[in-house]
Amino acid sequence: GNTYTGKVSVLAECRGMGRDMVLTNGTFVSRLVGSVDDRLDYRDYHIRIAKGAVLDLSGTGRAGDWGRVAIGNANLAAYGDNSVETRFTVDGGTVILGGNNSGNCNFVGVDQPGTAILEILDGVFRATNANANTSWSSGGALRIAANSSATGIVRVKGGRFEIPYDLSLATQYNNTNGGSGNATFEQTGGFSDLCYSYIGFASAGSGSGTMNLTGGEMSCVFLYALGYGTQTLYIDNYTIHAESNDNANYGFLCTAGSKDSYPKSYTVGEHGFTADTAGHSVSMSIPFAGPGAITVTGGGTMTMRGDLANAGGIIVDAGTTLSFAGNRKVTGPIVFAEGTAFKTALP
C-alpha cells in the first residue's frame, strides 16, 4: 500500500489497478485538463481517506466540467474482470464529488461481477454541485449495484453521508428502471442526508435491494418502495426526519405496492423507529410488520395511507397529529400522548 501525507494533485484521471492507497493529513485533488472528464474510476483495491485528508473531485476547470466516483468495475472505465473486492473507506477525512455543471451519477458497483464497498466510518462523503438536486445526471445521485451482475454495498457507521438527489438500489444507472444487481445500504451510526431514496424498481427487474437501518439518523423527502424486484427494509433504533411536505407524487414513507412475485419485506425491529414529521404534513403507506413500534413526532401531521401489521403499533408524540385517509388497519396499539390530535378522512 501507499500512504500520502502531503498534498497530491492528479491531472485528468486517477485510476488504480490492484493497489491500496491511504490519504492522510493532506489534500488529494483531481483536476481537469482540457476536455477530459474529472473522475476517479478504480477496481480491485482499497482507498482509505483518513483524518485530515480531503479527496476533492468537485472540478476546477471549465463550467461544463464535472466529477464522479465509480467504485468497482464500471462500463465507463472499461476494465476487465472484477472478481476481487474493491473498497473505498472514509475514515475521518472528507470526500467531495460533483463539478460545476451536469454530468453523471456516482456508482458503487456497476455492470461487471465482483463486490464494491463504500464505507463511511467518520468524516464526510458528499456528492454535490450547483445543480446537484435537479436530476440523476447532475452529479448528486448515487447508484448501488447499477445495471447487471454487480454487487454493491454502502455502510454508514459514523460521520455524514450526503446525497442531494437520489440514492437507488440495484437500478439501471440512469433511472429507477429494473436491474439485476444486488445492492445493500446499511447504517449503524452517523447521519444520512439522502433527499430521495428508492428501493426496488419502476419496471420489471430481477435485482435485489436491501436497506438495514439499525442506528443513526436519516433526513429525506421520501423513502419509496417501488413495485418491482426483491426488497428488504429493516428499521430498528433509528430516526427518519422529513425534509418537506409530501410532494405531488410520493409520500414520506411510501410504496407503489407489489407488482411482481419477488419477495418484499418491511420490518420494524424490537426497538422500533421514529418518524419525525419535522413540522411538515407527510404520509406513510409502507406496510410495516415486525415487533417494534413506530413513534410519530415532530409537531406536524402524519397521514396513514396503508395498513400496519407491526405488533408495537404507533406512538404519537405530543403536539403531533395522526390522520387516517380512509379505512386503515393497524394491528398493534395506537398510543396518544397528551396534546396529540387524531383525525379521520374519507378515502
Side-chain angles (χ1 to χ4, degrees), residues 9-31:
S9 295
V10 178
L11 299 180
E13 301 179 18
C14 175
R15 294 193 177 191
M17 300 289 289
R19 295 180 301 164
D20 291 348
M21 180 166 62
V22 178
L23 307 181
T24 183
N25 296 327
T27 300
F28 174 68
V29 181
S30 181
R31 301 179 186 273

Side-chain angles (χ1 to χ4, degrees), residues 7-310:
K7 182 172 181 178
V8 183
S9 295
V10 178
L11 299 180
E13 301 179 18
C14 175
R15 294 193 177 191
M17 300 289 289
R19 295 180 301 164
D20 291 348
M21 180 166 62
V22 178
L23 307 181
T24 183
N25 296 327
T27 300
F28 174 68
V29 181
S30 181
R31 301 179 186 273
L32 289 175
V33 175
S35 61
V36 178
D37 294 333
D38 179 17
R39 67 189 181 218
L40 174 65
D41 294 331
Y42 68 98
R43 70 178 184 97
D44 298 354
Y45 79 126
H46 186 183
I47 286 184
R48 180 181 293 270
I49 313 300
K51 185 175 180 179
V54 177
L55 171 60
D56 188 346
L57 297 178
S58 59
T60 56
R62 301 173 290 107
D65 296 334
W66 52 275
R68 69 157 188 273
V69 62
I71 302 170
N73 200 7
N75 59 345
L76 301 169
Y79 294 137
D81 176 56
N82 183 30
S83 58
V84 181
E85 178 183 289
T86 302
R87 187 182 297 262
F88 188 111
T89 301
V90 183
D91 189 8
T94 299
V95 176
I96 304 171
L97 307 177
N100 299 322
N101 213 314
S102 63
N104 212 325
C105 62
N106 305 290
F107 304 98
V108 179
V110 56
D111 278 346
Q112 299 295 330
T115 299
I117 299 174
L118 166 65
E119 53 187 4
I120 295 88
L121 307 182
D122 192 11
V124 178
F125 183 97
R126 177 185 298 129
T128 185
N129 64 22
N131 302 304
N133 62 349
T134 59
S135 77
W136 70 269
S137 62
S138 65
L142 180 71
R143 300 286 180 265
I144 305 176
N147 282 8
S148 60
S149 303
T151 295
I153 301 170
V154 173
R155 297 182 179 130
V156 181
K157 299 181 179 181
R160 290 187 63 89
F161 178 62
E162 302 177 6
I163 306 297
Y165 189 70
D166 72 55
L167 176 75
S168 294
L169 278 61
T171 65
Q172 292 184 7
Y173 69 82
N174 60 340
N175 51 34
T176 54
N177 291 337
S180 58
N182 297 304
T184 299
F185 177 80
E186 301 173 350
Q187 186 173 357
T188 57
F191 193 94
S192 294
D193 187 352
L194 301 183
C195 193
Y196 309 138
S197 300
Y198 295 97
I199 304 175
F201 319 125
S203 62
S206 60
S208 67
T210 298
M211 187 173 281
N212 291 321
L213 309 174
T214 58
E217 303 174 68
M218 175 193 296
S219 176
C220 64
V221 175
F222 62 73
L223 194 163
Y224 190 19
L226 293 158
Y228 296 90
T230 299
Q231 304 168 26
T232 302
L233 173 60
Y234 182 85
I235 312 181
D236 192 31
N237 192 31
Y238 195 79
T239 299
I240 304 179
H241 305 276
E243 290 187 357
S244 68
N245 293 338
D246 282 357
N247 67 23
N249 299 310
Y250 310 118
F252 176 39
L253 302 173
C254 61
T255 180
S258 181
K259 298 182 178 180
D260 60 22
S261 60
Y262 289 102
K264 295 166 179 61
S265 172
Y266 314 108
T267 304
V268 182
E270 63 177 337
H271 300 101
F273 78 91
T274 298
D276 175 17
T277 63
H280 301 299
S281 179
V282 297
S283 64
M284 176 164 34
S285 60
I286 295 176
F288 285 107
I294 300 172
T295 300
V296 181
T297 188
T301 297
M302 174 68 77
T303 299
M304 301 304 303
R305 301 191 181 278
D307 299 338
L308 289 177
N310 57 305

Side-chain angles (χ1 to χ4, degrees), residues 296 299-302 316-324 334-344:
V296 181
T301 297
M302 174 68 77
V316 186
D317 203 5
T320 303
T321 299
L322 180 67
S323 175
F324 283 81
I334 302 177
V335 179
F336 293 92
E338 184 177 354
T340 58
F342 173 74
K343 295 181 180 180
T344 59

